[in-house]
Amino acid sequence: MGWDRATPFTIDLQVGAEDIDGLGHANNAVYVTWLERCAWRHSQRLGLDLVEYRRLDRAMAVVRHEIDYLAAAYEGDELQLATWIVDWDQRLKMTRHFQLKRPSDNATLLRAQTTFVCIELSTGKPKRMPAEFIEGYGPAIQLPDTAQI
């Protein structure tokens, strides 16, 4: 489908009436919700769900979103959102890239980058990633030099 990178993790989305703002297109805040949904589903696929986060007393928390809104989505549009983990230091930080496409016309509607930091759930403070994060997220890492962006 012309993704920016090889082997994306993707989810399917449909723009509902509740996603539309006063300008007649999907509200920008809805896109952030979709990014979160995609990142969570990818983490779950990698074996790192909320139950595991709680067991480990660790989580990956968003510290920065960078979003380029390239085209509008409208009610009824069927979309695909892709994510890739593109950078991590195996200690505290991880970066994901996202690309949102509308398959009907192959348009890219959004590109985004989100930076996460590992925190200890019980304190909310930054804390080193446990071995389970290294093992779970590690196989999904795409090195930055593979980027076509």
Side-chain angles (χ1 to χ4, degrees), residues 32-93:
V32 175
T33 301
W34 293 340
L35 297 178
E36 179 186 26
R37 184 180 307 160
C38 187
W40 263 116
R41 287 193 185 156
H42 188 217
S43 289
Q44 291 167 339
R45 172 75 54 88
L46 297 172
L48 295 165
D49 59 12
L50 194 52
V51 171
E52 186 68 354
Y53 274 21
R54 287 181 178 140
R55 184 184 75 76
L56 297 168
D57 193 28
R58 296 289 189 283
M60 297 305 296
V62 173
V63 294
R64 181 177 177 87
H65 284 300
E66 297 176 56
I67 302 172
D68 293 318
Y69 298 97
L70 306 171
Y74 300 96
E75 186 175 350
D77 279 353
E78 295 195 11
L79 309 174
Q80 282 195 310
L81 181 57
T83 191
W84 303 264
I85 301 172
V86 298
D87 191 26
W88 73 330
D89 63 10
Q90 297 185 28
R91 293 182 306 276
L92 289 173
K93 284 185 157 186

